[in-house]
Amino acid sequence: MSNSTLRRSIAGLTLAGALAGGIASAEETTIRWALHPGEEADAVVNYFAPKYYEETGIRVIGEILPPDQLRDRMSIEAIGGTGRWDLGYHSPGWFGTFADYVVDLTPYIEKYDFDVSAYPDLVVESHMRSSARPGEYIALPTTPAAPMLIAREDFFNHPEEQAAFEAEYGRPLAIPETFAELRDVAEFFTRDAGETVAGETLESSLYGWADALGSGNGIARSFIVMLYSTGLQGFDENFQTDLNDPILLEVTDYFVDISKNYAPREAQNWAFLEGLNYFRDGRLAMATMWPQGIATVEDPAGQAAGKVAYTPLPEWEGNLVGYDQGVPFLGGGGVLVFDTPQAEEAFKFLKWMLQDEEVEWARQSLQFSRSAHFTNESLRTMKPYFEDFLPAYEQTLEAVFVRQGIPEYGAAMWQGTVDYITDVFSGDLTAEQAQDRWVRNIERTFRRAGYID
């Protein structure tokens, strides 16, 4: 459906509600929201906006924008003071652009009793606070997300596979708890078509592990979860970088090895979520999965449905901080409340949707972050695999890396990661050359910003 068709559909929904009746004084209030595409946006447009209109007479119009245009279009309207949107998509890495144009949510949180403690502490730090506006709540979480490890449980539990693995590696076959174990298991399960796995003959080659490895953002998203698991943070509170540590070279060597030897060649064309159909179709023993990919993994038409093990990412042994599990990048987003006359009404709608309707929000959007999302019995039984997925995902969200809240974070760390791993993986630079360039670029960026002399 095109954006224009979608907007007409939304208008039709709200008009139908108006014709059906409502609160006359509230009909003049319209809340407009710039949305990132996804199941959560569909939930807002198709379920929550109509229901809120029915209950209050207040219109909520969601405009789903192309992801590659969203930030620029939001910033043009915010900086221009047009008031086009009362709510907007919040990516923590973008906040520097919008810091001067959003309201402090603290008074509204107190006035309407919004329960911040329902979210994991790291989600609050990442998606609700920013050093650009210290002491304030600057957004609410809607789609915080971090990747986890999935595996074909039936492969791991098969007696023939268990016996063969123990004979070759000298330990029992199990879901990896360390990245070293992950490489061994990935090697073990990488097989050619015609060989067998779990007693079945393979029609296509089987690969031990995969993630999106497309040049640029795809491979950076995959590599950065291992990078942070080593304990590297990029830079500290004094803006001194730690990327000159030898552990960066260790994790790079590991990542290149496992990606080139045990992942399909096609993965080097995959971006976000692409390639999970390989897991669905029985061509992967393990994969890194962001939660948005669970519907693909558990597709009833696939070979993996009902046979998936879910677990946090494994530990990088010898990491610099003492982590006992992988520490993935916390991505996803939330929602900003722009400084418009409808700001308070917009917050009231968010409070209603995210807290009063918290179980329904998870059910409709398939986004999970509040405590009730992990404890509510109806959610845990909504899908047969949620009983395993939800506890593992809750554990994942409790050990994630939070982006440092400076405007230069994107240039220093995200784009730095893109450039570093893309050039090393392609062979354009050695890891040592790329490391030296990254360190110098970060120091140059921070010096230009005035953080260091």
Side-chain angles (χ1 to χ4, degrees), residues 319-337:
N319 69 77
L320 304 176
V321 185
Y323 296 136
D324 59 6
Q325 68 180 62
V327 180
F329 179 80
L330 180 61
V335 54
L336 303 166
V337 181

Side-chain angles (χ1 to χ4, degrees), residues 60-123:
V60 178
I61 297 181
E63 187 173 358
I64 300 176
L65 301 175
D68 59 345
Q69 300 178 19
L70 180 56
R71 177 177 180 173
D72 289 345
R73 290 177 61 177
M74 282 174 51
S75 63
I76 289 169
E77 302 294 342
I79 295 169
T82 66
R84 175 170 179 172
W85 293 303
D86 307 296
L87 300 172
Y89 179 76
H90 169 53
S91 173
W94 295 359
F95 185 67
T97 304
F98 301 100
D100 296 332
Y101 309 104
V102 300
V103 298
D104 176 11
L105 300 182
T106 308
Y108 298 154
I109 286 172
E110 295 172 352
K111 181 177 180 179
Y112 296 104
D113 200 23
F114 187 83
D115 185 8
V116 173
S117 69
Y119 297 98
D121 291 342
L122 292 173
V123 170

Side-chain angles (χ1 to χ4, degrees), residues 105-106 108-110 112-125 127-129 136-141 347 351 355 358 369-371:
L105 300 182
T106 308
Y108 298 154
I109 286 172
E110 295 172 352
Y112 296 104
D113 200 23
F114 187 83
D115 185 8
V116 173
S117 69
Y119 297 98
D121 291 342
L122 292 173
V123 170
V124 174
E125 180 184 344
H127 285 58
M128 299 183 71
R129 293 191 177 278
E136 299 182 7
Y137 289 103
I138 53 90
L140 298 184
F347 180 87
K351 187 265 182 181
Q355 181 163 303
E358 63 181 350
S369 56
R370 292 175 64 90
S371 55

